[in-house]
Amino acid sequence: VDAIVGPDEPIVYPEHLTEELDYELELAVVVSKPGKWFGPEEAEEYIGGYLIFNDITARDIQRREMRSGVFSFCKGIDTFCPLGPWIVTPDELGDPHDLRMELRVNGQKRQESHSGKMSVTIPEIIAHYSALGYSAGDVVSTGTVSGVAGFSEDAASLYLKPGDVIEAEIEKIGVLRNPVISWHEAHGEPAPARVRW
């Protein structure tokens, strides 16, 4: 939960941990009630609403974690989970598979797609992870779209840095805007010594 920040709250760049800070625009689902072991045909009963998730990721840490197949640290650092700008209920949203999606950094388009291009449906995703058991208020992300820095030809020039402003937008939900700030700006002191693995 320490990773969660809201609209207009800063993403703190932990320069002692990563040199490859990346963005991932995702549609996320808020679970409305507890449940376990249900199928896609029942999944809509568990959907309370939709919001935008910018899945901030430290790519250099992620590459090391990929060796084990477990991602946790690279995405769970404080402020790495911007959510918002509000929860839109299913009746307000309509078809979640018919939404334009776009992410901009400093006004420059980096990601652009459509939720209709998902390889699986939202009910399939919700049902699949129901084996873990849900609590009301759980947030389930649906995966990102093409255009992240880490998988671009010139990744180094596209990684986030202090001073950047990210705008993650999904049709009918709104714009989730977050600035990136330095560790020093956030904490009033220099970052700890660089961590080497």
Side-chain angles (χ1 to χ4, degrees), residues 8-60:
D8 297 310
E9 292 187 300
I11 297 160
V12 179
Y13 192 124
E15 54 260 34
H16 58 294
L17 299 176
T18 182
E19 296 174 349
E20 298 178 8
L21 195 64
D22 208 351
Y23 48 84
E24 291 187 9
L25 169 61
E26 302 190 16
L27 175 63
V29 179
V30 179
V31 175
S32 61
K33 63 181 182 178
K36 195 167 189 175
W37 297 114
F38 55 82
E41 61 286 345
E42 303 165 88
E44 288 187 11
E45 299 171 24
Y46 293 86
I47 297 174
Y50 298 88
L51 45 67
I52 300 168
F53 172 33
N54 186 357
D55 189 12
I56 302 296
T57 305
R59 295 289 179 209
D60 37 6

Side-chain angles (χ1 to χ4, degrees), residues 1 34 78 84 124 148 157 164 171 188 194:
V1 295
D78 288 1
E124 287 170 335
V148 297
S157 72
D164 286 344
E171 183 182 10
R194 175 85 178 149

